Coordinates of all heavy atoms in Angstrom, one line a residue:
M1 N -1.0 -13.2 8.0 CA 0.4 -12.7 7.9 C 0.6 -11.5 8.8 O -0.3 -10.6 8.9 CB 0.7 -12.2 6.5 CG 0.9 -13.4 5.5 SD 1.5 -12.7 3.9 CE 0.1 -11.9 3.3
E2 N 1.7 -11.5 9.5 CA 2.0 -10.3 10.3 C 3.3 -9.7 9.9 O 4.1 -10.3 9.2 CB 2.2 -10.8 11.8 CG 0.9 -11.2 12.4 CD 1.0 -11.4 13.9 OE1 2.1 -11.9 14.3 OE2 0.1 -11.1 14.7
I3 N 3.5 -8.4 10.3 CA 4.7 -7.7 9.9 C 4.9 -6.7 11.1 O 4.0 -6.3 11.8 CB 4.5 -6.9 8.6 CG1 5.8 -6.4 8.0 CG2 3.4 -5.8 8.8 CD1 5.6 -5.9 6.6
Y4 N 6.2 -6.4 11.2 CA 6.6 -5.4 12.2 C 6.4 -4.0 11.6 O 7.0 -3.6 10.6 CB 8.0 -5.5 12.7 CG 8.4 -4.5 13.7 CD1 8.1 -4.7 15.1 CD2 9.1 -3.3 13.4 CE1 8.4 -3.8 16.1 CE2 9.4 -2.4 14.4 CZ 9.0 -2.6 15.7 OH 9.3 -1.7 16.7
C5 N 5.5 -3.2 12.2 CA 5.2 -1.8 11.8 C 6.1 -0.9 12.5 O 6.1 -0.7 13.7 CB 3.8 -1.5 12.0 SG 3.4 0.2 11.5
S6 N 7.0 -0.2 11.7 CA 7.9 0.7 12.3 C 7.2 2.0 12.8 O 7.7 2.7 13.6 CB 9.0 1.1 11.3 OG 8.4 1.7 10.1
Q7 N 6.0 2.3 12.3 CA 5.3 3.5 12.7 C 4.6 3.2 14.1 O 4.6 4.1 14.9 CB 4.3 3.9 11.7 CG 4.9 4.4 10.4 CD 3.9 5.0 9.5 OE1 2.7 5.0 9.7 NE2 4.4 5.6 8.4
L8 N 4.1 2.0 14.2 CA 3.4 1.7 15.5 C 4.4 1.0 16.5 O 4.1 1.0 17.7 CB 2.2 0.7 15.2 CG 1.1 1.3 14.3 CD1 0.1 0.2 14.1 CD2 0.5 2.5 15.0
G9 N 5.5 0.5 16.0 CA 6.4 -0.2 16.9 C 5.9 -1.5 17.4 O 6.3 -1.9 18.6
M10 N 5.2 -2.2 16.6 CA 4.6 -3.5 17.1 C 4.3 -4.4 15.9 O 4.2 -3.9 14.7 CB 3.4 -3.3 17.9 CG 2.3 -2.6 17.2 SD 0.9 -2.0 18.3 CE 0.1 -3.6 18.5
L11 N 4.1 -5.7 16.1 CA 3.6 -6.6 15.1 C 2.1 -6.3 14.8 O 1.3 -6.2 15.7 CB 3.7 -8.0 15.5 CG 5.1 -8.7 15.4 CD1 5.1 -10.1 15.9 CD2 5.6 -8.7 13.9
I12 N 1.8 -6.3 13.5 CA 0.4 -6.1 13.2 C 0.0 -7.0 12.0 O 0.9 -7.5 11.3 CB 0.1 -4.6 12.8 CG1 1.0 -4.2 11.6 CG2 0.2 -3.7 13.9 CD1 0.6 -2.9 11.0
G13 N -1.2 -7.2 11.8 CA -1.7 -8.1 10.7 C -1.9 -7.4 9.4 O -2.1 -6.2 9.4
F14 N -1.8 -8.2 8.3 CA -2.0 -7.6 7.0 C -3.4 -6.9 6.9 O -3.5 -5.9 6.2 CB -1.9 -8.8 6.0 CG -2.1 -8.4 4.5 CD1 -1.1 -7.6 3.9 CD2 -3.2 -8.7 3.8 CE1 -1.3 -7.2 2.6 CE2 -3.4 -8.4 2.5 CZ -2.4 -7.6 1.9
S15 N -4.4 -7.5 7.5 CA -5.7 -6.8 7.4 C -5.7 -5.4 8.0 O -6.4 -4.6 7.5 CB -6.8 -7.7 8.1 OG -6.4 -7.9 9.4
Y16 N -4.9 -5.2 9.0 CA -4.8 -3.9 9.6 C -4.2 -2.9 8.5 O -4.7 -1.8 8.3 CB -4.0 -3.9 10.8 CG -3.8 -2.5 11.4 CD1 -4.7 -1.9 12.2 CD2 -2.6 -1.7 11.1 CE1 -4.6 -0.6 12.6 CE2 -2.4 -0.4 11.5 CZ -3.4 0.1 12.3 OH -3.2 1.4 12.8
C17 N -3.1 -3.3 7.9 CA -2.5 -2.5 6.9 C -3.4 -2.2 5.7 O -3.3 -1.1 5.1 CB -1.2 -3.2 6.3 SG 0.0 -3.5 7.6
M18 N -4.4 -3.1 5.5 CA -5.3 -2.8 4.3 C -6.5 -2.1 4.7 O -7.4 -1.8 3.8 CB -5.7 -4.2 3.7 CG -4.5 -5.0 3.1 SD -3.8 -4.1 1.7 CE -2.2 -3.6 2.3
S19 N -6.6 -1.7 6.0 CA -7.9 -1.0 6.4 C -7.7 0.2 7.3 O -8.7 0.8 7.7 CB -8.8 -2.0 7.0 OG -8.2 -2.6 8.2
M20 N -6.5 0.4 7.7 CA -6.2 1.5 8.7 C -6.4 2.9 8.2 O -6.4 3.8 9.0 CB -4.8 1.3 9.3 CG -3.7 1.3 8.3 SD -3.2 2.9 7.7 CE -2.4 3.5 9.2
N21 N -6.6 3.1 7.0 CA -6.7 4.4 6.4 C -8.2 4.7 6.0 O -8.5 4.7 4.8 CB -5.8 4.5 5.2 CG -5.7 5.8 4.5 OD1 -6.2 6.8 5.1 ND2 -5.1 5.9 3.4
D22 N -9.1 4.8 7.0 CA -10.5 5.0 6.7 C -11.0 3.8 5.9 O -11.8 4.0 5.0 CB -10.8 6.3 6.0 CG -10.7 7.5 7.0 OD1 -10.9 7.3 8.2 OD2 -10.4 8.6 6.5
G23 N -10.6 2.6 6.2 CA -11.0 1.4 5.4 C -10.2 1.1 4.2 O -10.5 0.1 3.5
L24 N -9.3 2.0 3.9 CA -8.4 1.8 2.8 C -7.0 1.5 3.3 O -6.6 1.6 4.4 CB -8.4 3.0 1.9 CG -9.7 3.4 1.2 CD1 -9.6 4.7 0.5 CD2 -10.1 2.3 0.2
P25 N -6.1 1.0 2.3 CA -4.7 0.6 2.7 C -3.9 1.8 3.2 O -4.1 2.9 2.9 CB -4.1 0.0 1.5 CG -5.3 -0.3 0.6 CD -6.4 0.7 0.9
C26 N -2.9 1.4 4.1 CA -1.9 2.4 4.5 C -1.1 2.9 3.3 O -0.8 2.1 2.4 CB -1.0 1.7 5.5 SG 0.4 2.6 6.0
R27 N -0.7 4.1 3.3 CA 0.0 4.6 2.1 C 1.4 4.0 2.0 O 2.1 4.1 1.0 CB 0.1 6.2 2.2 CG 0.7 6.7 3.4 CD 0.7 8.1 3.5 NE 1.6 8.7 2.6 CZ 1.9 10.0 2.5 NH1 1.2 10.9 3.3 NH2 2.8 10.5 1.7
N28 N 1.9 3.4 3.1 CA 3.2 2.7 3.0 C 3.1 1.2 2.7 O 4.1 0.5 2.7 CB 3.9 2.8 4.4 CG 4.2 4.2 4.8 OD1 4.6 5.0 3.9 ND2 4.0 4.6 6.0
S29 N 1.9 0.8 2.4 CA 1.7 -0.7 2.2 C 2.6 -1.3 1.1 O 3.0 -2.4 1.3 CB 0.2 -1.0 2.0 OG -0.3 -0.3 0.8
I30 N 2.8 -0.6 0.0 CA 3.6 -1.2 -1.0 C 5.0 -1.4 -0.5 O 5.6 -2.5 -0.7 CB 3.6 -0.3 -2.3 CG1 2.2 -0.4 -2.9 CG2 4.6 -0.8 -3.3 CD1 2.0 0.5 -4.1
D31 N 5.6 -0.4 0.1 CA 7.0 -0.6 0.6 C 7.1 -1.6 1.7 O 8.0 -2.4 1.7 CB 7.5 0.8 1.2 CG 7.9 1.8 0.1 OD1 8.1 1.3 -1.1 OD2 8.0 2.9 0.4
C32 N 6.1 -1.7 2.5 CA 6.2 -2.7 3.6 C 6.0 -4.1 3.2 O 6.6 -5.0 3.7 CB 5.1 -2.3 4.7 SG 5.5 -0.8 5.6
W33 N 5.1 -4.3 2.2 CA 4.7 -5.7 1.9 C 5.3 -6.2 0.6 O 5.1 -7.4 0.2 CB 3.2 -5.8 1.8 CG 2.6 -5.7 3.2 CD1 2.1 -4.6 3.8 CD2 2.4 -6.8 4.1 NE1 1.6 -5.0 5.1 CE2 1.8 -6.3 5.3 CE3 2.8 -8.2 4.1 CZ2 1.6 -7.1 6.4 CZ3 2.5 -9.0 5.2 CH2 1.9 -8.4 6.3
K34 N 6.0 -5.4 -0.2 CA 6.4 -5.8 -1.5 C 7.4 -7.1 -1.5 O 7.4 -7.8 -2.5 CB 7.1 -4.7 -2.3 CG 8.4 -4.2 -1.7 CD 8.9 -3.0 -2.4 CE 10.2 -2.5 -1.7 NZ 10.6 -1.2 -2.1
E35 N 8.1 -7.3 -0.4 CA 9.0 -8.5 -0.4 C 8.2 -9.7 0.0 O 8.8 -10.8 -0.1 CB 10.1 -8.2 0.7 CG 10.9 -7.0 0.5 CD 11.7 -7.0 -0.8 OE1 12.0 -8.1 -1.3 OE2 11.9 -5.9 -1.4
R36 N 7.0 -9.6 0.4 CA 6.3 -10.8 1.0 C 5.2 -11.3 0.1 O 4.8 -12.4 0.2 CB 5.8 -10.5 2.4 CG 6.9 -10.0 3.2 CD 6.8 -10.1 4.7 NE 6.0 -11.1 5.3 CZ 5.6 -11.0 6.5 NH1 5.8 -9.9 7.2 NH2 4.9 -11.9 7.0
L37 N 4.6 -10.4 -0.8 CA 3.6 -10.8 -1.7 C 3.5 -9.8 -2.8 O 4.2 -8.8 -2.8 CB 2.2 -10.9 -1.0 CG 1.6 -9.6 -0.5 CD1 0.1 -9.7 -0.8 CD2 1.9 -9.4 0.9
D38 N 2.8 -10.1 -3.9 CA 2.6 -9.2 -5.0 C 1.6 -8.2 -4.6 O 0.4 -8.2 -5.0 CB 2.2 -10.0 -6.2 CG 2.3 -9.1 -7.5 OD1 2.4 -7.9 -7.4 OD2 2.2 -9.7 -8.6
I39 N 2.0 -7.2 -3.8 CA 1.1 -6.3 -3.2 C 0.5 -5.4 -4.2 O -0.7 -5.0 -4.1 CB 1.9 -5.4 -2.1 CG1 0.9 -4.5 -1.4 CG2 3.0 -4.7 -2.6 CD1 -0.2 -5.2 -0.5
V40 N 1.2 -5.0 -5.3 CA 0.6 -4.2 -6.3 C -0.5 -4.8 -7.0 O -1.6 -4.3 -7.2 CB 1.7 -3.7 -7.3 CG1 1.1 -3.0 -8.5 CG2 2.8 -2.9 -6.6
A41 N -0.3 -6.1 -7.4 CA -1.4 -6.9 -8.0 C -2.6 -7.0 -7.0 O -3.8 -6.9 -7.4 CB -1.0 -8.2 -8.4
F42 N -2.3 -7.2 -5.8 CA -3.4 -7.3 -4.8 C -4.2 -6.0 -4.7 O -5.4 -6.0 -4.7 CB -2.8 -7.7 -3.4 CG -3.8 -7.7 -2.3 CD1 -4.5 -8.9 -2.1 CD2 -4.1 -6.6 -1.5 CE1 -5.5 -8.9 -1.1 CE2 -5.1 -6.6 -0.6 CZ -5.8 -7.8 -0.3
L43 N -3.5 -4.9 -4.6 CA -4.1 -3.6 -4.5 C -5.0 -3.3 -5.7 O -6.1 -2.8 -5.6 CB -3.1 -2.5 -4.3 CG -2.4 -2.5 -3.0 CD1 -1.2 -1.5 -3.0 CD2 -3.3 -2.2 -1.8
K44 N -4.4 -3.6 -6.9 CA -5.1 -3.3 -8.1 C -6.4 -4.2 -8.2 O -7.4 -3.7 -8.7 CB -4.2 -3.6 -9.3 CG -4.8 -3.1 -10.6 CD -3.8 -3.1 -11.7 CE -4.5 -2.6 -13.0 NZ -3.6 -2.6 -14.1
A45 N -6.3 -5.4 -7.8 CA -7.5 -6.3 -7.9 C -8.6 -6.0 -6.9 O -9.8 -6.1 -7.1 CB -7.0 -7.8 -7.6
K46 N -8.2 -5.4 -5.7 CA -9.1 -5.2 -4.6 C -9.7 -3.8 -4.6 O -10.8 -3.6 -4.1 CB -8.4 -5.6 -3.3 CG -9.3 -5.5 -2.1 CD -8.9 -6.5 -1.1 CE -9.6 -6.3 0.2 NZ -10.8 -6.9 0.5
Y47 N -9.0 -2.8 -5.1 CA -9.4 -1.4 -4.9 C -9.5 -0.8 -6.3 O -8.8 -1.1 -7.3 CB -8.4 -0.7 -4.1 CG -8.3 -1.3 -2.7 CD1 -7.2 -2.1 -2.4 CD2 -9.2 -1.0 -1.7 CE1 -7.1 -2.7 -1.2 CE2 -9.1 -1.5 -0.4 CZ -8.0 -2.4 -0.2 OH -7.9 -3.0 1.1
S48 N -10.5 0.2 -6.4 CA -10.7 0.9 -7.6 C -9.5 1.9 -7.8 O -8.8 2.3 -6.9 CB -12.0 1.7 -7.6 OG -11.9 2.7 -6.6
D49 N -9.4 2.5 -9.0 CA -8.4 3.5 -9.3 C -8.6 4.7 -8.4 O -7.7 5.3 -7.9 CB -8.5 3.9 -10.8 CG -7.9 2.9 -11.7 OD1 -7.3 1.9 -11.2 OD2 -8.1 3.0 -12.9
A50 N -9.9 5.1 -8.2 CA -10.2 6.2 -7.4 C -9.7 6.0 -5.9 O -9.2 6.9 -5.3 CB -11.7 6.5 -7.4
E51 N -9.9 4.8 -5.4 CA -9.5 4.5 -4.1 C -8.0 4.5 -4.0 O -7.4 5.0 -3.0 CB -10.0 3.1 -3.7 CG -11.5 3.1 -3.4 CD -12.1 1.7 -3.1 OE1 -11.6 0.7 -3.8 OE2 -13.0 1.6 -2.3
L52 N -7.3 3.9 -5.0 CA -5.8 3.9 -5.0 C -5.3 5.4 -5.1 O -4.3 5.7 -4.4 CB -5.3 3.1 -6.1 CG -5.6 1.6 -6.0 CD1 -5.1 0.8 -7.2 CD2 -5.0 1.0 -4.7
K53 N -6.0 6.2 -5.9 CA -5.5 7.6 -5.9 C -5.7 8.3 -4.6 O -4.9 9.1 -4.2 CB -6.3 8.3 -7.0 CG -5.7 8.2 -8.4 CD -6.3 9.0 -9.4 CE -5.7 8.7 -10.8 NZ -6.7 8.8 -11.9
K54 N -6.8 8.0 -3.9 CA -7.1 8.5 -2.6 C -5.9 8.2 -1.6 O -5.5 9.0 -0.8 CB -8.4 8.1 -2.1 CG -8.9 8.7 -0.8 CD -10.3 8.3 -0.5 CE -10.7 8.9 0.9 NZ -11.9 8.4 1.4
V55 N -5.5 6.9 -1.7 CA -4.5 6.4 -0.8 C -3.1 7.0 -1.1 O -2.4 7.5 -0.3 CB -4.4 4.9 -0.8 CG1 -3.2 4.4 0.0 CG2 -5.7 4.2 -0.3
F56 N -2.8 6.9 -2.4 CA -1.4 7.3 -2.8 C -1.3 8.7 -3.4 O -0.2 9.1 -3.7 CB -0.8 6.2 -3.8 CG -0.8 4.8 -3.2 CD1 -1.7 3.8 -3.6 CD2 0.1 4.5 -2.2 CE1 -1.6 2.6 -3.1 CE2 0.1 3.2 -1.6 CZ -0.7 2.3 -2.1
G57 N -2.4 9.3 -3.6 CA -2.4 10.6 -4.3 C -1.6 11.7 -3.5 O -1.2 12.7 -4.2
S58 N -1.5 11.6 -2.2 CA -0.8 12.7 -1.5 C 0.7 12.4 -1.3 O 1.4 13.2 -0.7 CB -1.4 12.8 -0.1 OG -1.2 11.6 0.6
L59 N 1.2 11.4 -1.9 CA 2.6 11.1 -1.9 C 3.4 12.1 -2.8 O 2.8 12.7 -3.7 CB 2.9 9.7 -2.4 CG 2.4 8.6 -1.5 CD1 2.7 7.2 -2.2 CD2 3.1 8.6 -0.1
P60 N 4.6 12.4 -2.5 CA 5.4 13.2 -3.4 C 5.4 12.8 -4.8 O 5.3 11.6 -5.1 CB 6.9 13.1 -2.8 CG 6.7 12.7 -1.4 CD 5.4 11.8 -1.4
K61 N 5.4 13.7 -5.7 CA 5.1 13.4 -7.2 C 6.0 12.2 -7.7 O 5.5 11.3 -8.3 CB 5.4 14.6 -8.0 CG 5.0 14.5 -9.4 CD 3.7 15.1 -9.7 CE 3.5 15.3 -11.2 NZ 2.9 14.1 -11.8
T62 N 7.3 12.2 -7.4 CA 8.1 11.2 -8.0 C 7.7 9.8 -7.5 O 7.7 8.8 -8.2 CB 9.6 11.4 -7.8 OG1 9.8 11.6 -6.4 CG2 10.1 12.6 -8.5
R63 N 7.4 9.7 -6.2 CA 7.1 8.4 -5.6 C 5.7 8.0 -6.1 O 5.5 6.8 -6.4 CB 7.1 8.5 -4.1 CG 6.9 7.2 -3.4 CD 7.3 7.2 -2.0 NE 6.9 6.0 -1.4 CZ 6.2 5.8 -0.2 NH1 6.0 6.9 0.5 NH2 5.9 4.7 0.2
L64 N 4.8 9.0 -6.1 CA 3.4 8.7 -6.7 C 3.5 8.1 -8.1 O 2.9 7.1 -8.4 CB 2.5 9.9 -6.6 CG 1.2 9.8 -7.3 CD1 0.3 8.7 -6.6 CD2 0.5 11.1 -7.2
D65 N 4.3 8.8 -8.9 CA 4.5 8.3 -10.3 C 5.0 6.9 -10.4 O 4.5 6.1 -11.2 CB 5.5 9.2 -11.1 CG 4.9 10.6 -11.3 OD1 3.6 10.8 -11.2 OD2 5.6 11.5 -11.6
R66 N 5.9 6.6 -9.5 CA 6.5 5.2 -9.5 C 5.5 4.2 -9.1 O 5.3 3.2 -9.8 CB 7.7 5.2 -8.5 CG 8.5 3.9 -8.6 CD 9.8 4.1 -7.8 NE 9.7 4.7 -6.5 CZ 9.5 4.1 -5.4 NH1 9.3 2.8 -5.4 NH2 9.4 4.8 -4.3
I67 N 4.7 4.5 -8.1 CA 3.7 3.6 -7.6 C 2.6 3.4 -8.7 O 2.1 2.3 -9.0 CB 3.1 4.1 -6.3 CG1 4.1 3.8 -5.2 CG2 1.8 3.3 -6.0 CD1 3.8 4.5 -3.9
M68 N 2.1 4.5 -9.3 CA 1.0 4.4 -10.3 C 1.6 3.7 -11.5 O 0.8 2.9 -12.1 CB 0.5 5.8 -10.7 CG -0.1 6.6 -9.5 SD -1.4 5.6 -8.6 CE -2.7 5.6 -9.8
E69 N 2.8 3.8 -11.8 CA 3.4 3.1 -12.9 C 3.4 1.6 -12.6 O 3.1 0.8 -13.5 CB 4.8 3.6 -13.2 CG 5.4 3.2 -14.5 CD 6.7 3.9 -14.7 OE1 6.7 5.2 -14.9 OE2 7.8 3.3 -14.6
M70 N 3.8 1.2 -11.4 CA 3.8 -0.2 -11.0 C 2.4 -0.7 -11.1 O 2.2 -1.9 -11.6 CB 4.3 -0.3 -9.6 CG 5.8 -0.1 -9.4 SD 6.2 0.1 -7.7 CE 5.9 -1.5 -7.0
I71 N 1.4 0.0 -10.7 CA 0.0 -0.4 -10.7 C -0.5 -0.6 -12.2 O -1.1 -1.6 -12.5 CB -0.9 0.5 -10.0 CG1 -0.6 0.4 -8.5 CG2 -2.4 0.3 -10.3 CD1 -1.3 1.5 -7.6
R72 N -0.1 0.3 -13.0 CA -0.5 0.2 -14.4 C 0.1 -1.0 -15.1 O -0.4 -1.6 -16.0 CB -0.1 1.5 -15.2 CG -1.2 2.5 -15.2 CD -0.9 3.7 -16.1 NE -0.8 4.8 -15.3 CZ 0.3 5.5 -15.0 NH1 1.4 5.2 -15.5 NH2 0.3 6.6 -14.2
E73 N 1.3 -1.4 -14.7 CA 2.1 -2.5 -15.3 C 1.5 -3.9 -15.0 O 1.7 -4.8 -15.7 CB 3.5 -2.5 -14.9 CG 4.3 -1.3 -15.6 CD 5.7 -1.2 -15.1 OE1 6.1 -2.0 -14.2 OE2 6.4 -0.3 -15.5
V74 N 0.7 -4.0 -13.9 CA 0.2 -5.3 -13.4 C -0.9 -5.7 -14.3 O -1.8 -4.9 -14.7 CB -0.2 -5.2 -12.0 CG1 -0.9 -6.5 -11.6 CG2 1.0 -5.0 -11.1
Ligands
SF4_101 S1 1.7 -0.7 5.8 FE1 1.5 1.0 7.2 S2 0.4 0.0 9.0 FE2 1.3 -1.6 7.8 S3 3.3 -2.1 8.6 FE3 3.6 -0.6 7.0 S4 3.6 1.4 7.9 FE4 2.6 -0.1 9.4

C-alpha cells in the first residue's frame, strides 16, 4: 500500500510509515492511515505499550489521550 506523504511530498509505502521513527511508526500514522485500514488495531497488535508510548507520548496531551483511548478500546 502506498500513500501520499504531505511531510515528504511524495508517495511512500506503508512499511516506511511503520519504521521511519527509529524502527517505530511515524507519530502521524493513525491520522494518515485510519481511512484505509484499522491502523489502531494494527499498531496494538504489532507494538508494545512502551513502544506506542514512545511514538505517541510527545503529542499534545489532548491528542495523546484520544489516541491512547482508541488503542485501549481495540
Ligand atoms: S504516517 Fe508519517 S511518513 Fe507516513 S504518510 Fe503520514 S506523515 Fe508521512
Side-chain angles (χ1 to χ4, degrees):
M1 286 188 291
E2 289 189 325
I3 194 169
Y4 181 81
C5 177
S6 59
Q7 291 191 354
L8 297 176
M10 58 190 284
L11 279 176
I12 55 169
F14 181 69
S15 60
Y16 176 83
C17 298
M18 293 299 110
S19 61
M20 55 78 73
N21 184 9
D22 286 333
L24 293 172
C26 173
R27 60 186 285 185
N28 297 320
S29 55
I30 291 178
D31 283 342
C32 291
W33 287 97
K34 67 185 176 193
E35 305 297 331
R36 306 202 29 203
L37 69 141
D38 191 347
I39 185 66
V40 173
F42 177 87
L43 291 170
K44 190 168 180 182
K46 184 149 169 93
Y47 301 96
S48 68
D49 286 351
E51 288 173 324
L52 294 175
K53 273 187 187 146
K54 186 175 176 188
V55 172
F56 299 110
S58 62
L59 293 173
K61 186 101 166 84
T62 53
R63 186 164 173 227
L64 173 62
D65 288 345
R66 187 167 46 89
I67 288 171
M68 295 312 285
E69 198 170 288
M70 287 167 67
I71 289 170
R72 265 186 246 114
E73 286 172 2
V74 173

